Amino acid sequence: RPCQASAYFQWVNAASAAAPANRPPLLINMDETALVRHATGLVGTVLKCSIAKKNVGEVASLGDRRSHMTFLASITPDAEVQARLPQVLIGNERQLSAATMRNLTGLPENIQVWRCKSAWNSHALMRRYLSLLASSLGSVLKDRYVILILDVARCHLHPTILAHAKRCGIRLCYIPASMTAELQPCDTHLFARFKGAFQEVWRRQKSISPGGAVSTMQWLHVVVDAIEAVLPTTDWEAAFAAVGAVAE
């Protein structure tokens, strides 16, 4: 869809051009992806038993096999700022007990776990994310003109989100519908790599867990390890350039 892509590039360029001379533009892309609570059927975690005609080794309740949490991932072309960006896991109250939250320690400063009514993102959680992003950036907001790139998922679109972003000193730019596979850095360069790392860490954790059962606390640390393996170590500048999202 060349017309939609062109309009998007014009929007990003216009936003970048609006940056004051003393505050260079800083592009950030945030998007969410669902993470399964129990990764089933991965090679190396399941013994195929032809006699019993079933997989041996899938130790998890039905609820865990159907459960997921949401990962709000944030990336930027600026390697120094990347370490500041918040990475958020959202789980519901059944998945994340009060005891789990009390005992969850040792996380990197930029990784947060939110216990909410639902594991899905929402307008309220987007406003919470914007506040967290502004707080995490700190003095960067004074030195850079922050442009947050989002897709047009319903949870990202609401007048209160636009108003709150403005209060936080963050400008929003939206990728056209059905164009994220071509234009969104998180989709084109992050999520496949991250989920590959998640599956690898999951295999290792499952292999050392008694009976192959991975607890919620262990699962959270699996996700954190996957985040740490991918997000701080990748050249996101190349990812933004590849999709044409370049601050000029």
Side-chain angles (χ1 to χ4, degrees):
R1 301 181 182 180
C3 292
Q4 286 186 325
S6 295
Y8 165 68
F9 293 140
Q10 290 172 7
W11 190 358
V12 173
N13 288 337
S16 299
N22 62 338
R23 293 173 60 206
L26 172 67
L27 298 181
I28 298 172
N29 180 213
M30 191 285 285
D31 193 22
E32 53 268 286
T33 188
L35 295 179
V36 293
R37 172 62 182 81
H38 181 82
T40 60
L42 296 183
V43 174
T45 65
V46 180
L47 173 65
K48 300 290 185 179
C49 182
S50 58
I51 298 176
K53 295 184 178 180
K54 65 178 182 179
N55 296 337
V56 179
E58 298 289 5
V59 182
S61 67
L62 180 61
D64 280 349
R65 292 198 297 272
R66 291 179 175 177
S67 181
H68 82 280
M69 296 187 201
T70 297
F71 173 32
L72 306 187
S74 306
I75 58 175
T76 179
D78 190 313
E80 292 185 4
V81 177
Q82 179 63 48
R84 290 175 172 255
L85 295 186
Q87 314 299 335
V88 180
L89 291 170
I90 304 173
N92 63 38
E93 294 174 349
R94 184 190 63 78
Q95 298 163 325
L96 298 172
S97 68
T100 296
M101 297 301 293
R102 284 195 303 271
N103 295 325
L104 183 59
T105 59
L107 297 184
E109 288 186 4
N110 67 318
I111 298 179
Q112 292 199 9
V113 179
W114 293 352
R115 181 176 185 250
C116 305
K117 293 290 185 182
S118 168
W120 296 104
N121 198 5
S122 66
H123 296 152
L125 292 183
M126 271 303 299
R127 294 191 296 271
R128 182 177 174 183
Y129 167 82
L130 288 168
S131 294
L132 175 61
L133 176 60
S135 174
S136 299
L137 290 174
S139 61
V140 173
L141 279 172
K142 298 179 180 179
D143 300 331
R144 306 290 295 274
Y145 185 75
V146 178
I147 302 167
L148 179 62
I149 298 174
L150 302 169
D151 62 31
V152 291
R154 183 175 297 180
C155 60
H156 299 163
L157 298 171
H158 196 267
T160 62
I161 293 173
L162 293 170
H164 193 62
K166 186 175 182 179
R167 285 193 295 270
C168 291
I170 298 169
R171 180 162 181 168
L172 302 183
C173 281
Y174 288 96
I175 299 170
S178 303
M179 297 290 289
T180 57
E182 293 80 23
L183 299 178
Q184 178 153 239
C186 280
D187 280 329
T188 60
H189 288 75
L190 168 60
F191 287 144
R193 186 178 302 179
F194 167 75
K195 290 189 176 182
F198 167 76
Q199 291 176 358
E200 181 59 33
V201 182
W202 167 269
R203 287 188 186 96
R204 292 202 300 267
Q205 180 60 57
K206 188 175 176 64
S207 70
I208 62 175
S209 298
V214 177
S215 70
T216 298
M217 187 68 74
Q218 290 170 329
W219 183 90
L220 290 170
H221 283 286
V222 164
V223 177
V224 169
D225 287 349
I227 291 173
E228 290 287 275
V230 174
L231 273 80
T233 62
T234 303
D235 178 11
W236 300 119
E237 183 177 5
F240 279 71
V243 299
V246 180
E248 296 180 345

